[in-house]
Amino acid sequence: KQEVTQIPAALSVPEGENLVLNCSFTDSAIYNLQWFRQDPGKGLTSLLLIQSSQREQTSGRLNASLDKSSGRSTLYIAASQPGDSATYLCAVDPGGGADGLTFGKGTHLIIQP
Amino acid sequence: DTGVSQDPRHKITKRGQNVTFRCDPISEHNRLYWYRQTLGQGPEFLTYFQNEAQLEKSRLLSDRFSAERPKGSFSTLEIQRTEQGDSAMYLCASSLLGNEAFFGQGTRLTVV
């Protein structure tokens, strides 16, 4: 059974810092990996999707990497802003649709003004 | 089309009552998923539709839960005889052939 772990569980940093969120998964047979952002009481907003054949994806100040063989992904946030404060969730897709996405518990990020 | 839409956003119900939630996916997406999320946890998979066919159900989906997707369009999730343990955020997501998944804003269920 696939298990996804996110470290750290919570992180508080001053505005302007660069930071890295970590995600690890136990079964490397994945179709893709997706990073999401969730604001309190809201749904999930997709940030980046990395296909299993890719090593990284970039969108603005966000960069996500994937090392499928070691079961790891990182989300790099450059020049953090208070508006980046949210919970960041990592999810892996086994492909084929069955079982949907398997999520980690998330990293709760606070950016101090 | 602005994304995945869920209705209602919030539902408070008494224990033992039935509730039904609706999800309208992005129109061209053939895959639709339901997830449940409790406080401090990531979403957990409940069930999956490809077009109108329900292809997978999690063991989390007890007999009190039923989902439909008539004509491969919107979907409904019904919970019968609600229990306090059913209190959670119910999230719907859609995707096209297993690509990027897009989520709705969720329905927050409180069973009192």
Side-chain angles (χ1 to χ4, degrees), chain B residues 4-107:
Chain B
V4 179
S5 178
Q6 292 189 244
D7 184 71
R9 293 291 308 280
H10 303 276
K11 180 71 177 179
I12 299 175
T13 191
K14 292 184 178 180
R15 189 174 53 186
Q17 298 293 306
N18 299 343
V19 294
T20 300
F21 310 140
R22 177 181 171 122
C23 171
D24 287 274
I26 294 172
S27 58
E28 63 268 26
H29 285 184
N30 60 340
R31 290 186 176 179
L32 186 148
Y33 300 84
W34 285 98
Y35 293 84
R36 181 171 68 189
Q37 184 179 29
T38 54
L39 199 62
Q41 303 295 315
E44 294 177 294
F45 168 76
L46 292 178
T47 190
Y48 151 62
F49 290 85
Q50 181 150 317
N51 300 312
E52 69 275 9
Q54 188 174 17
L55 296 186
E56 194 72 29
K57 291 195 291 186
S58 163
R59 58 179 173 75
L60 295 176
L61 212 66
S62 76
D63 291 343
R64 296 183 298 105
F65 288 69
S66 63
E68 294 182 344
R69 191 183 183 195
K71 301 179 182 178
S73 55
F74 70 93
S75 176
T76 58
L77 178 68
E78 181 183 17
I79 309 174
Q80 296 183 326
R81 305 181 302 282
T82 52
E83 302 173 354
Q84 287 190 321
D86 296 331
S87 295
M89 174 80 89
Y90 289 84
L91 294 160
C92 175
S94 70
S95 71
L96 184 62
L97 293 175
N99 289 317
E100 189 174 8
F102 293 88
F103 280 75
Q105 289 298 300
T107 295

Side-chain angles (χ1 to χ4, degrees), chain A residues 59-112:
Chain A
S59 176
R61 294 182 295 108
L62 304 179
N63 176 277
S65 68
L66 173 64
D67 184 342
K68 201 174 90 162
S69 61
S70 67
R72 295 180 188 275
S73 176
T74 61
L75 179 67
Y76 176 83
I77 303 176
S80 58
Q81 303 171 358
D84 295 330
S85 297
T87 296
Y88 290 80
L89 293 155
C90 163
V92 296
D93 185 349
D99 297 334
L101 298 173
T102 300
F103 284 84
K105 292 184 179 181
T107 293
H108 181 52
L109 177 63
I110 296 174
I111 307 299
Q112 306 155 11

